[in-house]
């Protein structure tokens, strides 16, 4: 195979997130994988919102992680409440520079950096209805498959890169 024809296994950055948010996402994804979850970032939800990280494990549990890179980021966010309708557990992930006390008590807390993360506080469970679980699982699978297809055949998916 010609070396110039290699396809990158990492999609280009979408430039919506800050460097801090990207680092938090990376470390949090590593933690979630160690807990048996597969993750996908920036997943559009049925509500029209977009979740920072959605994680799915072999039991079908769905966790959503909202990434916060600053106090201002948390204060400006009024949409996180809507994510509960699409997951079994809701978490906030942030750097150790932010105090845990500023986050809502009824969410889980993950402290992360670019290299890893730890589960500071477990999120309360609120089981999804079967129909919602199926909808989210299909959405997760379709997004993951489409992203893989774009990596394998970028020219065949040019309209999605714009």
């Amino acid at each position: 195979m010609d070396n110039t024809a290699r396809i990158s296994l990492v999609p280009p950055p979408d430039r919506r997130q800050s460097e801090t948010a990207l680092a938090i996402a990376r470390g949090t994804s590593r933690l979630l994988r160690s807990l048996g979850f597969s993750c996908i970032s920036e997943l559009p939800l049925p509500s029209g919102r977009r979740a920072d990280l959605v994680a799915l494990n072999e039991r079908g549990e769905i966790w959503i992680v909202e990434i916060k890179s600053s106090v201002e980021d948390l204060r400006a966010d009024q949409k996180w409440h809507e994510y509960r309708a699409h997951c079994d557990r809701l978490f906030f992930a942030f750097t150790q520079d932010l105090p845990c006390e500023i986050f809502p008590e009824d969410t889980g807390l993950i402290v992360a950096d670019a290299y890893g993360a730890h589960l500071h506080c477990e999120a309360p469970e609120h089981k999804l209805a079967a129909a919602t679980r199926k909808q989210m699982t299909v959405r997760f699978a379709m997004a993951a498959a489409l992203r893989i297809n774009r990596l394998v055949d970028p020219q065949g998916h040019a309209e999605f890169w714009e």
Side-chain angles (χ1 to χ4, degrees), residues 41-54:
S41 61
E42 297 297 320
L43 183 68
L45 301 174
S47 65
R49 299 288 188 199
R50 184 183 306 264
D52 291 334
L53 287 176
V54 177

Side-chain angles (χ1 to χ4, degrees), residues 68 70-78 80 92 102-104:
K68 293 298 165 208
S70 67
V71 174
E72 295 77 23
D73 186 15
L74 178 64
R75 287 184 182 148
D77 183 2
Q78 299 301 313
W80 68 266
F92 282 98
I102 67 171
F103 293 95

Side-chain angles (χ1 to χ4, degrees), residues 14 16-17 21-22 24-26 28-29 32 39-45 49-55 63-69 73 77 79-80 83 90-93 147:
D14 65 12
R16 281 185 290 220
Q17 297 85 14
L22 290 171
I24 295 167
R26 179 179 165 192
T28 300
S29 293
L32 292 170
C39 301
I40 193 162
S41 61
E42 297 297 320
L43 183 68
L45 301 174
R49 299 288 188 199
R50 184 183 306 264
D52 291 334
L53 287 176
V54 177
W63 292 4
I64 290 180
V65 180
E66 178 67 1
I67 295 170
K68 293 298 165 208
S69 57
D73 186 15
D77 183 2
K79 65 188 182 314
W80 68 266
Y83 297 160
L90 178 63
F91 293 84
F92 282 98
R147 291 177 189 185

Side-chain angles (χ1 to χ4, degrees), residues 9-136:
L9 294 179
V10 179
D14 65 12
R15 310 231 190 284
R16 281 185 290 220
Q17 297 85 14
S18 69
E19 289 299 317
T20 302
L22 290 171
I24 295 167
R26 179 179 165 192
T28 300
S29 293
R30 288 178 175 186
L31 169 69
L32 292 170
R33 281 193 299 275
S34 77
L35 296 173
F37 285 84
S38 295
C39 301
I40 193 162
S41 61
E42 297 297 320
L43 183 68
L45 301 174
S47 65
R49 299 288 188 199
R50 184 183 306 264
D52 291 334
L53 287 176
V54 177
L56 175 70
N57 70 13
E58 65 183 16
R59 293 186 308 271
E61 291 175 296
I62 298 170
W63 292 4
I64 290 180
V65 180
E66 178 67 1
I67 295 170
K68 293 298 165 208
S69 57
S70 67
V71 174
E72 295 77 23
D73 186 15
L74 178 64
R75 287 184 182 148
D77 183 2
Q78 299 301 313
K79 65 188 182 314
W80 68 266
H81 299 279
E82 298 175 33
Y83 297 160
R84 283 194 193 281
H86 306 291
C87 63
D88 295 303
R89 295 179 192 263
L90 178 63
F91 293 84
F92 282 98
F94 52 96
T95 66
Q96 65 182 3
D97 299 330
L98 297 180
C100 295
E101 298 76 31
I102 67 171
F103 293 95
E105 290 182 17
D106 58 345
T107 61
L109 302 178
I110 297 171
V111 179
D113 63 22
Y115 304 101
H118 74 272
L119 194 57
H120 181 74
C121 178
E122 185 70 52
E125 185 176 52
H126 44 277
K127 288 278 190 186
L128 286 175
T132 304
R133 183 175 313 286
K134 179 181 177 183
Q135 182 183 38
M136 285 297 295

